[in-house]
Amino acid sequence: MYRFLLTPRWWGINLFVVLAIPFCVFMGTWQLGRFEDRVQSHEQAEKAPDPSTRAAKPLDALLPVDKVTSGRPAIATGTYADQFLVPGRKLDDRQGFYVLNLLRTDSGKALPVVRGWLPGSATDARVPAAPKGEVTVTGDLQASENTHSDGVNVRGGLPSGQVGMISAATLVNLVPYDVYDAWVTLPEAEAGGTGGAMKPVPAAAPEGSGLDLKAFQNLGYTGEWFVFAAFVLFMWFRLVRREAEAERDIALGLVPEEAAAEAAAPAAETAEAPDAAEGAPEDPSSPDYDVASTPVR
């Protein structure tokens, strides 16, 4: 009854099922692993001490920024140079902007420093001046932002002196010197009152270390892939069952009347054609008949 599974058409169906189910299971397992990694990172972050409470270290000793060094206090010495405003940033549910200065270090590279946050629009804003001369700053270390970071403006078209993303890849195109692939945010207002009107920007948790929306997206994708695998298996069994039932009905002669009539009609016409030629009455107008339709002997 199941010999049809060896036909070329079913070979293609079977091959698809054999490849699709392991693929769906693999992708579901991979997404589940991503979710479990995020849960584990979240638990470790909760158990670990606050990075900002740990001892400050020189900037170069904490690079590159990862989940361990993110948020750690970093020390850097240099001179403030170019200044940029980062619009569209919220603090305490209020709209405002960051004040970003590049600190030129002795190595020649510049460290982006977020000196603070101000409410309102960044256009024509009055910003407290940065300290003059050589300064030593201690700020919480952060990784460069990307297009998925909160508050990032990727649309472009910002006025001169404004940037939408705190990233070395963005800033290096605006200044004539190298920029560290990291930035720091000052935890307190600057000494001397120059930054007294600005509010400190708290350090953000490293990306992928918390149970955010992306973590639950991984969990949702896990369920989708396993549902796909079950659906493929269900459809295969359904097709096999329907084909087997059709084969059984044909073997038992249990076919619908319409199908039987359609199948029998051509055969009946073929079978009746010779009989009509041999047994049908002859045409009375034939020369072999007389007027009374009596065959002429």
Side-chain angles (χ1 to χ4, degrees):
M1 181 180 296
Y2 293 98
R3 292 179 181 178
F4 61 84
L5 292 174
L6 301 178
T7 59
R9 180 172 69 91
W10 274 94
W11 268 111
I13 296 175
N14 295 336
L15 180 62
F16 171 78
V17 172
V18 169
L19 295 178
I21 292 179
F23 176 77
C24 292
V25 172
F26 169 77
M27 292 300 298
T29 304
W30 179 73
Q31 290 288 352
L32 181 60
R34 293 288 302 274
F35 174 74
E36 291 176 345
D37 291 342
R38 290 179 179 272
V39 172
Q40 185 176 5
S41 299
H42 176 68
E43 293 176 349
Q44 291 177 351
E46 287 187 336
K47 294 178 181 179
D50 187 355
S52 62
T53 61
R54 304 180 67 176
K57 287 187 176 182
L59 173 65
D60 293 331
L62 299 176
L63 296 178
V65 185
D66 53 23
K67 293 182 180 180
V68 177
T69 60
S70 180
R72 289 281 301 274
I75 301 175
T77 301
T79 305
Y80 280 123
D82 295 90
Q83 177 173 281
F84 299 94
L85 304 181
V86 188
R89 301 304 175 102
K90 288 185 177 182
L91 184 64
D92 298 331
D93 294 330
R94 297 179 61 191
Q95 195 71 27
F97 59 93
Y98 293 166
V99 179
L100 175 69
N101 285 81
L102 297 183
L103 184 71
R104 294 288 304 272
T105 63
D106 295 337
S107 64
K109 299 178 69 174
L111 172 66
V113 178
V114 174
R115 296 169 48 221
W117 174 91
L118 287 172
S121 173
T123 304
D124 300 328
R126 299 182 61 182
V127 180
K132 301 293 184 179
E134 186 176 79
V135 295
T136 299
V137 299
T138 301
D140 296 334
L141 188 63
Q142 300 279 265
S144 290
E145 295 181 333
N146 54 57
T147 56
H148 301 291
S149 301
D150 293 337
V152 166
N153 183 353
V154 296
R155 294 173 296 179
L158 295 175
S160 177
Q162 297 185 22
V163 293
M165 181 188 307
I166 308 176
S167 169
T170 300
L171 295 171
V172 75
N173 297 318
L174 303 176
V175 294
Y177 41 82
D178 291 335
V179 179
Y180 280 104
D181 188 19
W183 58 283
V184 297
T185 175
L186 300 183
E188 298 178 357
E190 295 170 344
T194 56
M198 294 186 292
K199 290 186 176 182
V201 176
E207 186 176 357
S209 62
L211 293 179
D212 53 7
L213 179 60
K214 293 181 180 179
F216 291 101
Q217 284 179 343
N218 292 135
L219 186 60
Y221 294 150
T222 299
E224 288 182 1
W225 281 113
F226 286 130
V227 168
F228 291 158
F231 179 75
V232 170
L233 190 61
F234 166 76
M235 290 302 299
W236 182 84
F237 275 113
R238 183 175 180 180
L239 291 175
V240 169
R241 181 180 177 182
R242 186 171 64 178
E243 189 84 5
E245 290 176 350
E247 293 284 344
R248 182 190 61 189
D249 292 344
I250 293 175
L252 297 177
L254 302 176
V255 294
E257 294 182 1
E258 295 82 3
E262 292 177 1
E269 293 176 1
T270 305
E272 290 175 359
D275 296 337
E278 295 178 359
E282 296 185 9
D283 187 359
S285 63
S286 173
D288 294 336
Y289 279 78
D290 58 9
V291 178
S293 299
T294 303
V296 179
R297 299 295 180 183

